[in-house]
Amino acid sequence: MNKDIPASIVVFLVALPLCLGIALASGAPLLSGLISGIIGGLVVGSVSMSSVSVSGPAASLTAVVLASIASLGSFEVFLMAVVLGGIFQFILGILKAGLIADYMPSNIIKGLLAAIGIILIIAQLPYAFGIEASKENYLDPSLGFLRQMQPAFWNFVDSLTAGALLISGLSLAIMILWDKSPLKKFKLLPPALVVVILGVLLNFIFEYIMPSFHLTSAHLVNIPKIDHFSELLTFPDFSSITNPEVWGVAITITLIASIASLLAIEASDDLDPHKRKTPPNRELVAQGIGNTITGLVGGIPITSVIVRSSVNINAGNETKLSAILHGVFLLLSVLFLSTILNLIPLSSLAAILLVIGYKLASWDVISSMFKKGWNQFIPFVVTVIAIIFTDLLIGIFIGGLVSIFFLLRSNYHNAFFIENTKIFKGETIRLELSNEVSFFNKASIKNTLWSVPPKSTVIIDATFASFIDHDVLEIFEDFKDTFAKEHDINLSIIGLKEKYSVGKELEFIKGEIQESKEKSTPEEIFEYLMDGNQRYVDGKLVSRRLRNKELMDFINAPPLATVVNCIDMREPLNVLMNTGIGDLIPIRTAGNLADQEVIRSIEVACKKQGAKFILLMGNSANKIYAEALKDYMQGRESYISPLIEDAVKELNISAQDIVMEQIFEVADTITQWNLEESKRRIVSENEYLKAEIGQGRIGMASAFFNRQTGKIIFSEIYRIQKSKVSLPD
């Protein structure tokens, strides 16, 4: 509450001239704007569950109000439309139509805020400069532009008010430097309130000491004087309820006010430092009640307003009490304080709004949106420009269309993952469908399938798709019946549900898979493993979950490689290298040094199981090696000491030179040495593997897995001169 009271004063001071200005721009009585501000604070503030939003008359409805009053013929008839619009809003809230707010893209919300900020800056500059609007300040389109530039410039200079410039300059300095000075400790004295008080005092000083700087009533707040409470109220013309045009205006007010309010609370919640969530349906109910009452007593339509809300947040409010109190202050000011409030310079209020406008459209906001990528930045920029040059709703509509375009563009490739490999005969393209495949993905899927090279193998995996649009199913049908047959493409469609069935599924049979894998070369397998790890690092894994029959087919097919790795490395190999089920034969051992038993297992994996590649894999931060090194540093023999003895001896690692903070770096060095030593032992101690590797029928390489990055660093394929040793039986 300590923060809500000063925040409510600041919001009140900002809302006061805005209520008057919006009423003036709407062609409505000036008091109607103040009535809307009072109802927005007292009624909407009480019913709404937003902690930061402030409601009142909004610029987004000025054009509608102006045109509607003119078309309906009187302000009283227009008030009837406001009452009906409020009732319609209340019904929308009861029907839970507020969910539309949850689907508004964040880049549009950011664009809305930035546009409001820029508009604030542009609108407040004349008040900050003390410029009064006059015919001389505008260019005549019937005359040449260059001819008017010089007189227009001097008219602009002559219209500047020195007192307003001084007050706004000092006020800006206070607003900007306040948080950088010890004054920020005075939480009960917000800088905006200091600015207002300073402006009033300075203008008093100007009047008696510097008359040329004194600001006249044209540069001050101007509240109409109310002698009797009854002068505040204007009642609607209830007889006009049967007028169809009144109902049309009511529906227009309902739609625009509801959308504007939902957008405003989304934007306000985004600015809220506590990131509290406003229930949108409750907000519609609150706005509906507020508009119904404001129409009954003579006010113009109400919405949640971003400018007031952002002022409220920047002033440090904590609860919705600040919004309610600002309504109380508006009411009291109209009844009792108009003479005092009319002393406030408009340039003081302009300085407050200039700082708020900059915060909404600062360079940090723009650069942060740019860093998110073009698909976020372009809709953001379009929204800002469209709102500035049209109005709030039209700008949001245009920005929304651009955002939808980028959404569709991103979905163009999001319906599936593609994997190209050459480990099967010809080229294999695996296309795995995502959870939902809609007609938006039709073009990308068709372009992909019709680009498949002749004599390829294509797997379309729909196992994990819960929805596939009928148009996409027709593409699969056409591809299977025409393009695939004409181009000798071996097609397999798996995982389609009954309701998606496009006919009899084509399946790989065990013999075909076995034949394909047997024709793959060690070089192709090595490339497949490297590509698989890159997919893992890039987050583009193709899942390998299969149904039972397909699982058995893949398990019974020959493996591609055998991988020897330390038991310290428990990360799943098939995930790290994105391999299929049954592609790898893992051989786990303590450490990375191949002994006779490990080499014998490698021989069986290649000779009897059909593996055509040997991958010796180490990993960073090996805890087993680190433990052995600790024992070595302390001069203590242990059961794991033999794992590092050869490496320590060959690398001349001294126990005294090992630093505990760098023990894992030493472990990594030992891992690398053991991997190279294992390759040497394999070709020197096993004649079968030596001959096969020498003839290029089996490939061998080492690899080092970095646990921090997920990247596997592969060595080159191990090469030896072609052996003349006869191949053992």
Side-chain angles (χ1 to χ4, degrees), residues 48-239:
S48 171
M49 294 183 69
S50 174
S51 300
V52 295
S53 175
V54 181
S55 296
S60 57
L61 280 163
T62 52
V64 173
V65 175
L66 183 65
S68 299
I69 293 174
S71 63
L72 294 175
S74 74
F75 183 64
E76 290 75 11
V77 175
F78 172 74
L79 291 178
M80 188 68 244
V82 176
V83 172
L84 290 174
I87 295 172
F88 294 158
Q89 273 188 297
F90 179 84
I91 294 173
L92 287 177
I94 297 298
L95 296 176
K96 300 187 183 304
L99 57 86
I100 186 176
D102 294 329
Y103 294 94
M104 185 58 60
S106 62
N107 51 7
I108 302 300
I109 299 295
K110 298 286 188 183
L112 167 65
L113 290 171
I116 293 294
I118 294 172
I119 292 172
L120 267 179
I121 292 172
I122 295 172
Q124 297 306 312
L125 283 176
Y127 298 112
F129 292 152
I131 298 174
E132 293 184 59
S134 63
K135 185 176 180 181
E136 289 76 16
N137 290 332
Y138 296 95
L139 298 179
D140 187 345
S142 64
L143 301 176
F145 176 77
L146 295 177
R147 286 176 53 194
Q148 301 179 78
M149 280 301 296
Q150 185 174 353
F153 173 76
W154 289 113
N155 286 333
F156 168 77
V157 173
D158 292 340
S159 63
L160 296 176
T161 303
L165 282 170
L166 181 58
I167 290 175
S168 59
L170 290 173
S171 299
L172 279 173
I174 291 172
M175 291 293 295
I176 294 171
L177 300 176
W178 185 273
D179 287 338
K180 300 177 182 179
S181 69
L183 294 172
K184 66 180 180 181
K185 297 179 180 178
F186 298 95
K187 299 296 183 182
L188 294 179
L189 191 64
L193 184 57
V194 174
V195 161
V196 170
I197 296 173
L198 177 66
V200 174
L201 294 176
L202 282 175
N203 202 37
F204 270 119
I205 294 173
F206 293 159
E207 184 178 6
Y208 297 104
I209 299 179
M210 304 172 65
S212 61
F213 280 62
H214 181 251
L215 300 178
T216 61
S217 59
H219 301 286
L220 304 175
V221 171
N222 183 19
I223 300 176
K225 186 177 181 181
I226 303 297
D227 295 322
H228 302 286
F229 184 79
S230 59
E231 295 179 18
L232 273 174
L233 306 179
T234 303
F235 301 105
D237 181 359
F238 291 100
S239 65

Side-chain angles (χ1 to χ4, degrees), residues 94 116 141 151 202 212 274 338 345 408 452 482 510 525 532 565 572 639:
I94 297 298
I116 293 294
L202 282 175
S212 61
H274 303 292
S338 60
L408 297 179
V452 170
T482 56
K510 179 177 64 175
I525 294 172
N565 64 298
Y639 72 101

Side-chain angles (χ1 to χ4, degrees), residues 258-496:
S258 297
I259 294 173
S261 292
L262 292 174
L263 290 172
I265 64 168
E266 280 288 302
S268 300
D269 288 347
D270 187 64
L271 292 174
D272 181 10
H274 303 292
K275 300 302 177 186
R276 289 164 287 193
K277 174 68 176 174
T278 301
N281 296 313
R282 179 62 175 264
E283 186 66 23
L284 285 180
V285 169
Q287 296 293 334
I289 294 173
N291 274 313
T292 302
I293 295 176
T294 197
L296 289 172
V297 297
I300 54 179
I302 295 171
T303 71
S304 175
V305 186
I306 300 172
V307 175
R308 294 173 178 82
S309 302
S310 59
V311 170
N312 192 29
I313 294 167
N314 280 282
N317 91 295
E318 288 292 338
T319 70
K320 65 179 184 179
L321 178 63
S322 60
I324 298 172
L325 288 177
H326 115 278
V328 173
F329 293 144
L330 281 174
L331 177 60
L332 294 175
S333 67
V334 172
L335 295 177
F336 308 113
L337 303 176
S338 60
T339 303
I340 296 175
L341 293 175
N342 286 343
L343 298 175
I344 300 174
L346 292 175
S347 54
S348 296
L349 300 179
I352 298 171
L353 293 174
L354 284 172
V355 173
I356 292 171
Y358 175 75
K359 287 183 178 179
L360 293 175
S362 67
W363 178 250
D364 289 339
V365 172
I366 297 171
S367 61
S368 67
M369 291 302 300
F370 180 77
K371 291 175 182 177
K372 292 181 179 180
W374 292 111
N375 60 332
Q376 292 290 313
F377 184 67
I378 293 179
F380 165 79
V381 172
V382 170
T383 302
V384 172
I385 295 173
I387 289 176
I388 291 173
F389 286 97
T390 57
D391 61 35
L392 185 142
L393 288 177
I394 293 177
I396 289 172
F397 177 74
I398 295 172
L401 289 179
V402 176
S403 185
I404 290 173
F405 166 77
F406 279 95
L407 176 65
L408 297 179
R409 185 171 174 268
S410 64
N411 281 337
Y412 184 86
H413 295 294
N414 283 347
F416 53 86
F417 295 100
I418 301 176
E419 179 183 49
N420 288 10
T421 64
K422 296 182 179 179
I423 63 168
F424 303 114
K425 62 179 181 180
E427 183 173 0
T428 297
I429 294 91
R430 182 185 179 89
L431 188 148
E432 181 183 303
L433 303 182
S434 59
N435 184 47
E436 293 187 3
V437 186
S438 69
F439 71 94
F440 294 128
N441 312 118
K442 176 180 176 180
S444 60
I445 291 175
K446 186 171 184 178
N447 289 340
T448 299
L449 290 177
W450 263 253
S451 300
V452 170
K455 298 182 179 180
S456 299
T457 297
V458 175
I459 305 171
I460 298 176
D461 189 352
T463 304
F464 311 110
S466 61
F467 171 78
I468 303 177
D469 190 88
H470 181 72
D471 288 351
V472 177
L473 294 176
E474 286 187 350
I475 290 176
F476 294 158
E477 182 92 32
D478 293 341
F479 181 75
K480 175 173 70 74
D481 293 339
T482 56
F483 192 87
K485 289 182 178 179
E486 293 174 359
H487 294 80
D488 194 20
I489 294 172
N490 181 20
L491 173 66
S492 177
I493 304 177
I494 60 176
L496 288 179

Side-chain angles (χ1 to χ4, degrees), residues 236-258:
D237 181 359
F238 291 100
S239 65
S240 64
I241 193 170
T242 57
N243 184 348
E245 192 173 353
V246 170
W247 286 75
V249 172
I251 293 173
T252 302
I253 291 173
T254 301
L255 295 175
I256 296 178
S258 297

